[in-house]
């Protein structure tokens, strides 16, 4: 049994990752801004991206590895306040890198964005060595974080691994952040609410079931340290793409409802297509997604129908 700390441990990805680690017999420390809905039986420490001092709470927990998921913005909110996006997220990331490299050099899996760091795809599916040409502020900050990771690995030997996560979805994803098209659309359709699509719905994205995503993050953490130069970097996705129009139709069939869809002007930072090549992660760790999109969407919709109606 090992002990792992998860910053942002009460979020959508963090909570499922924590459950997956516990299933494997590991101890989990949830690093979060507050107890929230945690039970007394769950281990947690106070952690805040905006307060670098709280990283000492994570260090004192003596984890064998850290998953850094905490991120204060979404693609939309980052566009609205680029200064806060960089200041909070990069400041928090650097605090972790600095303190861990000085005190306890354990592996860190940093969750980046497979959907934004590449920009407009020159080839599909997108491999990890594709140029990084983000169009959005969110993507730019994630790329900067990856570059800091490379710097700390090269100069301080910090064992940072990067997971470029596509678009995870699941019934437990909160609608509060307005992030995650599959989960948000499913919730609206189940409740009979209108679905708003930016653009004409032709945008193609790579959607991955949240448990598959969590298992991929575990695989990256458990991989033996790499002796190769550069930060071990992996795409985490399904390797397949579907348009927003196709996704909404699929959700409608699962919910046995006709979605009420409206279209608004597309956003400048929304790229036409993003599908990740996941061959490298499969070859290095043996991981592969288990859930096909349609059955996973059907299960998500069924869960939402039980919980919301």
């Amino acid at each position: 049994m090992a002990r792992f700390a998860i910053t942002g441990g009460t979020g959508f990805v963090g909570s499922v990752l924590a459950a997956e680690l516990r299933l494997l017999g590991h101890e989990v420390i949830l690093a979060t801004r507050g107890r929230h809905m945690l039970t007394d039986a769950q281990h947690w420490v106070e952690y805040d991206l905006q307060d670098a001092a709280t990283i000492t709470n994570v260090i004192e927990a003596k984890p064998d590895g850290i998953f850094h998921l905490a991120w204060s913005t979404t693609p939309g909110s980052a566009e609205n306040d680029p200064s806060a996006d960089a200041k909070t997220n990069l400041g928090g990331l650097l605090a972790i890198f600095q303190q861990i490299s000085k005190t306890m050099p354990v592996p860190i899996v940093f969750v980046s964005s497979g959907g934004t760091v590449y920009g407009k795809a020159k080839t599909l599916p997108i491999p990890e060595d594709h140029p990084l040409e983000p169009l959005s502020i969110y993507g730019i900050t994630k790329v900067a974080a990856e570059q800091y990771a490379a710097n700390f690995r090269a100069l301080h030997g910090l064992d940072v691994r990067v997971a470029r996560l596509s678009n995870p979805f699941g019934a437990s994803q909160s609608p509060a952040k307005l992030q995650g098209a599959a989960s948000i659309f499913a919730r609206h359709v189940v409740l009979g609410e209108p679905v708003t699509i930016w653009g004409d719905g032709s945008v193609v994205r790579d959607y991955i079931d949240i448990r598959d995503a969590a298992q991929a993050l575990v695989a990256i953490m458990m991989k033996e340290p790499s002796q190769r130069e550069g930060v071990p970097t992996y795409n985490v996705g399904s390797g397949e793409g579907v348009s927003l129009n196709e996704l909404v139709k699929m959700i409608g069939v699962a919910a046995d409802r006709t979605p009420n869809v409206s279209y608004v002007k597309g956003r400048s930072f929304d790229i036409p297509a993003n599908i990740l090549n996941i061959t490298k992660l499969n070859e290095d760790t043996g991981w592969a997604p288990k859930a096909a999109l349609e059955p996973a969407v059907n299960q998500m919709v069924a869960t939402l129908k039980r919980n919301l109606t």
Side-chain angles (χ1 to χ4, degrees):
M1 183 182 76
R3 174 183 294 173
F4 295 103
I6 306 173
T7 69
T10 56
F12 174 50
V13 178
S15 58
V16 177
L17 172 61
E20 187 63 29
L21 288 167
R22 291 191 186 102
L23 280 175
L24 294 171
H26 302 298
E27 183 180 353
V28 179
I29 306 296
L30 301 179
T32 177
R33 283 179 291 184
R35 188 177 290 273
H36 298 297
M37 300 299 291
L38 302 181
T39 67
D40 291 337
Q42 291 175 309
H43 298 289
W44 77 288
V45 295
E46 183 179 358
Y47 172 76
D48 191 340
L49 278 167
Q50 299 184 68
D51 183 2
T54 60
I55 187 59
T56 59
N57 296 330
V58 179
I59 292 172
E60 288 173 358
K62 297 182 179 179
D64 299 299
I66 298 172
F67 294 89
H68 184 49
L69 278 66
W71 204 259
S72 68
T73 55
T74 65
S77 65
E79 293 295 322
N80 293 331
D81 195 346
S83 177
D85 177 60
K87 180 180 179 181
T88 302
N89 293 314
L90 293 181
L93 178 104
L94 287 172
I96 288 180
F97 286 178
Q98 286 179 303
Q99 292 302 317
I100 295 301
S101 63
K102 291 176 182 178
T103 59
M104 49 176 299
V106 298
I108 300 175
V109 173
F110 167 61
V111 179
S112 186
S113 170
T116 64
V117 299
Y118 295 115
K120 292 183 178 179
K122 302 182 188 308
T123 182
L124 290 172
I126 305 171
E128 287 86 353
D129 59 2
H130 185 285
L132 302 182
E133 299 174 344
L135 300 181
S136 67
I137 295 297
Y138 186 88
I140 290 169
T141 310
K142 288 288 190 179
V143 169
E146 290 192 21
Q147 292 175 333
Y148 278 119
N151 176 271
F152 272 81
R153 178 181 173 85
L155 298 185
H156 305 287
L158 191 62
D159 184 6
V160 186
R161 299 112 185 260
V162 171
R164 291 178 179 159
L165 182 59
S166 62
N167 297 273
F169 67 90
S172 63
Q173 187 166 21
S174 169
K177 276 196 169 184
L178 300 178
Q179 186 176 21
S183 306
I184 290 175
F185 289 175
R187 182 177 291 266
H188 287 326
V189 172
V190 166
L191 292 174
E193 298 173 346
V195 173
T196 300
I197 291 180
W198 299 91
D200 63 4
S202 64
V203 165
V204 172
R205 292 290 181 268
D206 183 330
Y207 298 95
I208 180 172
D209 180 78
I210 182 58
R211 189 171 178 194
D212 276 335
Q215 291 172 349
L217 298 181
V218 173
I220 293 170
M221 173 64 78
M222 298 303 184
K223 183 181 177 297
E224 288 296 317
S226 174
Q227 302 303 315
R228 294 176 292 185
E229 292 186 5
V231 176
T233 301
Y234 297 98
N235 286 333
V236 178
S238 69
E240 299 179 358
V242 63
S243 73
L244 292 177
N245 286 330
E246 292 169 327
L247 177 64
V248 171
K249 181 179 180 181
M250 186 184 300
I251 291 169
V253 171
D256 195 25
R257 283 181 177 268
T258 300
N260 177 15
V261 182
S262 62
Y263 297 87
V264 297
K265 184 179 179 181
R267 300 174 296 186
S268 61
F269 57 85
D270 284 330
I271 60 175
N274 179 277
I275 306 169
L276 300 182
N277 186 322
I278 56 174
T279 302
K280 181 180 176 184
L281 181 56
N282 175 258
E283 291 179 346
D284 282 8
T285 70
W287 172 88
K290 299 174 183 176
L293 180 60
E294 188 169 359
V297 166
N298 291 344
Q299 182 176 0
M300 174 177 64
V301 169
T303 302
L304 288 172
K305 289 177 74 173
R306 287 196 303 269
N307 294 341
L308 300 177
T309 60

